[in-house]
Amino acid sequence: MMKYPFLSLQETNTPYFEELKQAASEVIESGRYLLGERVARFEAELCRYLSCDYAVAVGNGLDALRLILKAYIELGSMAPGDEVIVPANTYIASVLAVTDNGLVPVFVEPSESTFNLNMSLIERAITSRTKAVMTVHLYGRACWSGELKELAARYGLKIIEDNAQAMGAVSSVPGISGKFRTGALGDAAGNSFYPGKNLGALGDAGAVTTDDKELADVVRTLAFYGSAKKYVNIYRGLNSRMDEIQAAFLSVKLKYLDEENRHRAVVAAEYNKCIDHPGVMTPEPGSPGEHIFHVYALRCRRRDELQEYLTTQGVGTLIHYPIPPHQQQCYREYNLLSFPVAERLSREELSLPMAGNLSLESVREISGIINRF
């Protein structure tokens, strides 16, 4: 057992045990486990939280992204063979959603300072087949700018947010509809509530959020076998639904999300203050609320040695992500492409323990261990 585990879901959920048990009991006693009032309630709560018009609860974050793109194809905004710009250093799900719909990912390098999509490189990647930019709020930091909005308007592109890691983050620049929270900045967003997320279910769950009623309606239909009326199938759809019990759990935890995110920012600031090692680079915090630190990501050229050392000292760590999408075996057609920044980040990134209940004393002790490396 690690003295400082990377993440303990049991400890993360301990403050809410009684409320979660009560929520589970109510769902069990209701006899309604799918397509019930608790999912509808959570969708409404999520809309209020993000200030968006529509939320469609689905099975997981990957499905949320898949369904957005599939809906745009059904609506005629995209067609197989069209291109979607994606960051070269995202989690594989961002790219899987694109290729699963017969669309073509076009990789763009990240910024070394933010780990997010380098906005200055987007325009040179746009072609006549480009239909969308997928902006990924990686590690919990909002990835948004006025330049991105201007490019999308000038070239007629959709902006799709991969908001799997940043629920609660706030952009200093308003989105296309004047909203500020990630998940409500672009045309549509895929959100994940995987248990380890800042807003985590106790199983798989996700949601599509948007201000576009037509898109939301098509997504909802696609997620239910392509059927808006039972046994009448308009589209070749999927089966992707959030369970009632996960929606009930998420309604409990959403109430505490901002408080936990504020604590994560305090934890990150303490790490940044206490870590003092010439070979370790700490992450930039961004403007207030811009980074909710789903992951606290260091950089170190001796990353593998540092990880091994921390393991011997009882500190749990993870690497996000050791192999960029374009180098994965499943995307052999892209293996010869070169993205030096993304590849360098994949060799140097190391994530430290981070949670809404992590004590500052633990942060100081972990930092001291790093300083002695």
Side-chain angles (χ1 to χ4, degrees), residues 117-120 122-123 126 133 135 137 142-155 157 159 171-180 185-186 290:
L117 190 62
N118 189 330
M119 300 296 182
S120 69
I122 294 175
E123 186 167 18
I126 295 172
V133 177
T135 181
H137 308 301
C143 180
W144 193 257
S145 71
E147 181 182 4
L148 176 62
K149 286 199 300 182
E150 190 276 328
L151 281 174
R154 185 171 1 134
Y155 289 97
L157 307 178
I159 304 177
S171 170
S172 59
V173 177
I176 59 177
S177 297
K179 317 294 175 56
F180 287 89
L185 298 172
E290 183 181 1

Side-chain angles (χ1 to χ4, degrees), residues 170-325:
V170 177
S171 170
S172 59
V173 177
I176 59 177
S177 297
K179 317 294 175 56
F180 287 89
R181 285 195 189 270
T182 61
L185 298 172
D187 293 281
N191 306 274
S192 171
F193 306 115
Y194 180 78
K197 305 299 186 186
N198 293 32
L199 179 60
L202 275 68
D204 272 326
V208 172
T209 50
T210 183
D211 288 335
D212 185 337
K213 182 181 187 302
E214 187 177 27
L215 179 72
D217 288 345
V218 175
V219 166
R220 192 176 297 280
T221 301
L222 284 167
F224 187 57
Y225 300 96
S227 173
K229 179 181 178 182
K230 196 168 185 178
Y231 302 128
V232 179
N233 298 80
I234 306 170
Y235 311 114
R236 299 179 186 181
L238 308 174
N239 173 25
S240 184
R241 299 173 293 202
M242 183 185 292
D243 298 340
E244 283 285 284
I245 201 163
Q246 299 303 337
F249 290 152
L250 288 167
S251 288
V252 169
K253 297 182 71 175
L254 181 59
K255 296 182 295 183
Y256 304 102
L257 177 61
D258 285 344
E259 179 184 345
E260 286 209 3
N261 283 343
R262 283 191 291 270
H263 182 71
R264 285 172 178 264
V266 171
V267 167
E270 193 69 10
Y271 270 135
N272 282 2
K273 182 179 78 173
C274 295
I275 294 174
D276 184 16
H277 190 291
V280 174
M281 185 184 303
T282 56
E284 294 182 357
S287 59
E290 183 181 1
H291 202 328
I292 48 85
F293 289 95
H294 170 59
V295 167
Y296 182 85
L298 295 176
R299 287 181 62 188
C300 179
R301 290 184 180 178
R302 297 167 58 201
R303 187 268 312 281
D304 294 345
E305 295 176 57
L306 176 59
Q307 183 178 42
E308 183 177 354
Y309 162 74
L310 290 173
T311 299
T312 67
Q313 300 299 307
V315 180
T317 61
L318 283 181
I319 297 171
H320 295 88
Y321 300 97
I323 306 174

Side-chain angles (χ1 to χ4, degrees), residues 95-106:
V95 187
L96 289 172
V98 175
T99 58
D100 187 61
N101 282 287
L103 301 166
V104 178
V106 175

Side-chain angles (χ1 to χ4, degrees), residues 83-100:
E83 297 172 351
V84 178
I85 291 173
V86 294
N89 70 319
T90 185
Y91 180 56
I92 195 74
S94 309
V95 187
L96 289 172
V98 175
T99 58
D100 187 61

Side-chain angles (χ1 to χ4, degrees), residues 28-98:
I28 293 167
E29 291 175 3
S30 75
R32 184 68 179 266
Y33 309 130
L34 286 171
L35 304 174
E37 65 178 30
R38 287 162 184 82
V39 167
R41 182 190 309 163
F42 175 68
E43 289 177 341
E45 291 167 349
L46 187 59
C47 285
R48 286 195 295 272
Y49 180 78
L50 295 177
S51 299
C52 66
D53 293 338
Y54 304 99
V56 182
V58 298
N60 55 70
L62 173 56
D63 277 0
L65 293 173
R66 292 169 68 207
L67 285 161
I68 290 168
L69 293 168
K70 192 172 181 67
Y72 276 132
I73 290 172
E74 294 291 354
L75 289 168
S77 299
M78 300 179 191
D82 285 341
E83 297 172 351
V84 178
I85 291 173
V86 294
N89 70 319
T90 185
Y91 180 56
I92 195 74
S94 309
V95 187
L96 289 172
V98 175

